[in-house]
Amino acid sequence: MSVVKIAGPYAEALLELAVSNSSLKETTNDMNIVSQFLANSSDLKKFLGNPLITREAKKNVIKDILGEQISLVSLKFLMLLVDRGRIAILDVISQKFLELSNKKDSIEIAKVTSAVPLSGQQQKALAEKLKVITQAKQIKLALKVDAQLIGGFTVEIEKRN
C-alpha cells in the first residue's frame, strides 16, 4: 500500500477534528510548523523513521522539540501517530493535511516557475489574475526560479474535481 494512501485517512481525521473543535486555523499553523521542522531537519526525519528507536524516545523528542510550539490537540495527534507506528510518514500526513485544509478554505496553490525572480508587485498581480481564473478565495504562490527557461513563466495549479 502506498504511503499517500496510508497518510490520507490520518490527514482527513485531523481535519475533521480541527473543524469540529473550531481550530482549523490553529491546526493548519501547527502542521506548517511540523512540516517546516521535517523539511529543515533530515536528522529528525531519520530519527522518527528509525524502527529501532522506542516509541517512548520518539514521544519525548517530539514533546521536547514541538511541545511548546504546537497546540495540545496537534501534539496528541503526533503521539497517536507514534503509537500506531505511523510517525515515519509524518511529512506526508502533514502535507496531505495542509492540502485538504487549503481546499476547505478555498485556497489554491499555484506553482510558478520563472526565468527570473518575480517582484512583489508581479507576484501580487499574478495572484489576483489567478484568483479570478480559478475562482478561489485565495491564491498562494509557490515560487521557483529556473534559469533554463528562456523567458516568461509557467504556472501549475492542481486539478480540482
Side-chain angles (χ1 to χ4, degrees):
M1 186 176 262
S2 83
V3 174
V4 177
K5 284 185 180 180
I6 295 169
Y10 286 100
E12 289 168 9
L14 182 59
L15 181 72
E16 286 178 30
L17 179 65
V19 169
S20 69
N21 287 345
S22 300
S23 62
L24 182 59
K25 196 171 192 174
E26 180 182 29
T27 305
T28 301
N29 186 46
D30 291 347
M31 287 300 111
N32 271 318
I33 291 169
V34 168
S35 196
Q36 288 296 318
F37 261 102
L38 292 171
N40 294 329
S41 175
S42 62
D43 289 340
L44 177 62
K45 202 171 174 181
K46 287 177 191 172
F47 177 84
L48 295 175
N50 188 335
L52 300 176
I53 296 173
T54 66
R55 289 179 177 172
E56 276 308 308
K58 290 178 184 181
K59 285 181 178 182
N60 289 334
V61 167
I62 291 169
K63 285 177 192 171
D64 289 345
I65 294 174
L66 297 168
E68 298 293 318
Q69 298 185 46
I70 62 174
S71 69
L72 185 59
V73 172
S74 295
L75 189 60
K76 284 183 178 180
F77 177 75
L78 297 182
M79 297 301 124
L80 173 81
L81 292 178
V82 172
D83 290 336
R84 297 272 170 92
R86 300 296 190 205
I87 198 69
I89 60 169
L90 177 58
D91 56 336
V92 180
I93 294 171
S94 63
Q95 287 304 315
K96 184 70 177 169
F97 172 83
L98 292 171
E99 200 177 286
L100 293 170
S101 175
N102 286 339
K103 281 184 182 172
K104 180 110 178 115
D105 284 344
S106 188
I107 299 172
E108 289 289 336
I109 306 293
K111 295 177 184 172
V112 179
T113 306
S114 60
V116 295
L118 298 177
S119 70
Q121 186 178 355
Q122 290 170 324
Q123 290 176 30
K124 192 173 184 177
L126 180 59
E128 289 301 317
K129 291 276 188 200
L130 292 173
K131 198 184 297 185
V132 172
I133 292 168
T134 61
Q135 298 174 345
K137 287 183 194 171
Q138 189 177 348
I139 294 284
K140 285 189 180 178
L141 300 178
L143 302 169
K144 183 175 150 190
V145 176
D146 183 0
Q148 299 296 320
L149 285 178
I150 296 171
F153 60 90
T154 62
V155 178
E156 293 177 51
I157 298 176
E158 188 176 309
K159 181 182 169 194
R160 294 178 282 170
N161 295 334

